[in-house]
Amino acid sequence: MGAASDDAVKQLALLMDQVEAPLRRTFQNVHQGYPKETLLRFLKAREWNVSKAHKMLVDSLNWRIQNEIDTVLERPIVPVDLYRSIRDSQLVGLSGYTKEGLPVFAVGVGQSTYDKASVHYYVQSHIQINEYRDRVILPMLTEKFGRPVTTCVKVLDMTGLKLSALSQMKMLTSISTVDDLNYPEKTETYYVVNVPYIFSACWKVVKPLLQERTKKKVKVLHGCGRDELLKIMDYSSLPHFCRRESSGSSKHSSTDTDDCYSLDHPFHKELYGHIEEQASRKELIKMGSLHVSIPEPDPDDAKIVEVIQAEFQKIGEQNGSANGHKV
């Protein structure tokens, strides 16, 4: 970091020292003993503008308090069959770690259907994965390596992406807004694999709208990306859909213990077991979904969503239909 960056961190730290006690308490759950790294993330997200980063962080801490995020890992989604159906339709999981020790999260963008539960359950599950990553996995890695490990990488599988994904735009926008405003700069790099034409067309029009910092994070790889990904991780950490060319991300292309989306994968078993254990320590288990308030998206992000929707519609018209025809 340069002198200007150091100065910005010091200014933001002084401002955070002045916030009320409830905000300081939830801030501890966010930074997990490494406040400087957290301040840096919020500063990066606001282009090093201290006052904007301060507002963003305070807004995020208030959001956590209002929505009881600090106790979200004490609220299992029950019954387990409901949680299993969420895992089958919201495809995300931890496949392993990079050679530098960063967690590798796989996301099945193209084949996630989000059609087995209400939006509240999907948002709750997404937040639980974020919180488990930040409050359990990353601190464990920090202790293991003796240095702060505060970020991850994501491998986004576009297999099966269709025009019908437009109907999921509201859900995806809700989840991305939660991430952008409350978990900024947690992903070092996004590796995009198994790219169909529809993604390439959208990426072409969206890329110029992104901040340079974001553009540098996105790496669109050839095919399943196996050879490129093996430069940064071992074969055992590759997501199942990257392990052989043309394998796609079929939910049934590998065993459930290899498929990091599955509830039977060690990551999801550990996550769900952790939440059940935390809940068992409480006298009263809160049932039902957690209704998290979704913040208003940043105007620039809202514009990007509009561009994506327009591009989807244009492609649909070019193909004579926007009824889910695969392109």
Side-chain angles (χ1 to χ4, degrees):
M1 285 199 316
S5 303
D6 280 331
D7 190 49
V9 170
K10 289 175 184 175
Q11 289 181 48
L12 184 53
L14 287 172
L15 290 171
M16 293 308 298
D17 285 342
Q18 298 168 27
V19 300
E20 296 175 355
L23 295 182
R24 287 201 299 273
R25 281 196 295 271
T26 195
F27 185 45
Q28 290 176 346
N29 263 334
V30 175
H31 68 62
Q32 292 291 315
Y34 293 90
K36 179 180 177 181
E37 283 70 19
T38 299
L39 298 177
L40 276 169
R41 289 193 297 104
F42 280 84
L43 283 163
K44 286 179 184 177
R46 288 297 176 260
E47 302 296 324
W48 301 98
N49 184 305
V50 175
S51 62
K52 289 182 178 179
H54 177 246
K55 182 183 185 303
M56 183 187 187
L57 181 48
V58 169
D59 287 348
S60 177
L61 298 178
N62 279 316
W63 173 82
R64 293 181 67 88
I65 293 170
Q66 291 160 9
N67 293 282
E68 302 179 33
I69 303 300
D70 287 341
T71 59
V72 73
L73 292 179
E74 300 167 6
R75 299 186 62 158
I77 294 174
V78 290
V80 70
D81 285 346
L82 171 61
Y83 188 68
R84 183 177 291 279
S85 68
I86 289 170
R87 294 278 56 82
D88 288 342
S89 53
Q90 183 184 35
L91 304 181
V92 60
L94 176 71
S95 66
Y97 303 88
T98 69
K99 293 173 182 178
E100 294 182 347
L102 301 184
V104 178
F105 282 90
V107 185
V109 178
Q111 292 189 332
S112 291
T113 56
Y114 298 100
D115 59 352
K116 304 297 183 185
S118 73
V119 61
H120 303 293
Y121 278 119
Y122 285 114
V123 172
Q124 176 179 346
S125 178
H126 179 80
I127 291 172
Q128 285 177 329
I129 291 173
N130 280 355
E131 292 292 310
Y132 187 74
R133 174 196 66 195
D134 294 351
R135 290 156 61 182
V136 177
I137 294 173
L138 294 177
M140 176 189 70
L141 293 170
T142 293
E143 184 175 351
K144 176 181 177 180
F145 292 107
R147 56 176 169 79
V149 181
T150 59
T151 57
C152 66
V153 301
K154 290 183 179 178
V155 183
L156 310 181
D157 179 24
M158 296 295 165
T159 299
L161 186 65
K162 302 176 183 179
L163 291 170
S164 56
L166 194 61
S167 63
Q168 301 163 15
M169 196 61 72
K170 185 176 180 181
M171 170 79 73
L172 296 172
T173 301
S174 296
I175 289 174
S176 65
T177 300
V178 165
D179 278 357
D180 291 343
L181 297 182
N182 301 288
Y183 303 92
E185 301 294 318
K186 294 299 294 190
T187 304
E188 286 285 320
T189 311
Y190 297 89
Y191 295 99
V192 187
V193 303
N194 296 321
V195 173
Y197 166 75
I198 191 170
F199 173 83
S200 300
C202 284
W203 179 239
K204 186 176 180 180
V205 296
V206 167
K207 188 176 180 180
L209 303 177
L210 300 176
Q211 294 177 333
E212 201 60 37
R213 184 186 74 255
T214 304
K215 276 190 261 190
K216 288 179 179 177
K217 285 185 175 188
V218 180
K219 309 290 185 186
V220 181
L221 305 184
H222 175 73
C224 71
R226 179 191 59 194
D227 293 342
E228 284 297 311
L229 291 173
L230 284 174
K231 295 176 182 176
I232 64 161
M233 67 185 75
D234 294 332
Y235 182 85
S236 60
S237 289
L238 284 176
H240 57 280
F241 51 81
C242 294
R243 293 192 177 184
R244 66 178 189 273
E245 285 294 344
S246 303
S247 65
S249 67
S250 169
K251 301 170 196 174
H252 309 293
S253 64
S254 55
T255 65
D256 284 341
T257 53
D258 287 335
D259 182 346
C260 64
Y261 301 149
S262 169
L263 180 55
D264 297 314
H265 186 270
F267 166 70
H268 282 298
K269 290 174 79 170
E270 289 167 13
L271 167 60
Y272 197 73
H274 176 86
I275 296 172
E276 283 189 312
E277 181 186 353
Q278 297 300 309
S280 69
R281 297 178 181 178
K282 304 294 178 182
E283 293 181 9
L284 177 65
I285 297 178
K286 296 180 179 179
M287 307 296 281
S289 63
L290 182 70
H291 286 232
V292 173
S293 62
I294 307 299
E296 283 295 314
D298 185 279
D300 290 340
D301 294 334
K303 181 182 178 182
I304 290 171
V305 171
E306 289 177 9
V307 169
I308 293 173
Q309 291 174 325
E311 189 64 22
F312 266 57
Q313 288 167 354
K314 186 170 81 173
I315 294 170
E317 290 165 3
Q318 289 172 350
N319 284 273
S321 169
N323 63 357
H325 177 65
K326 189 174 180 180
V327 293

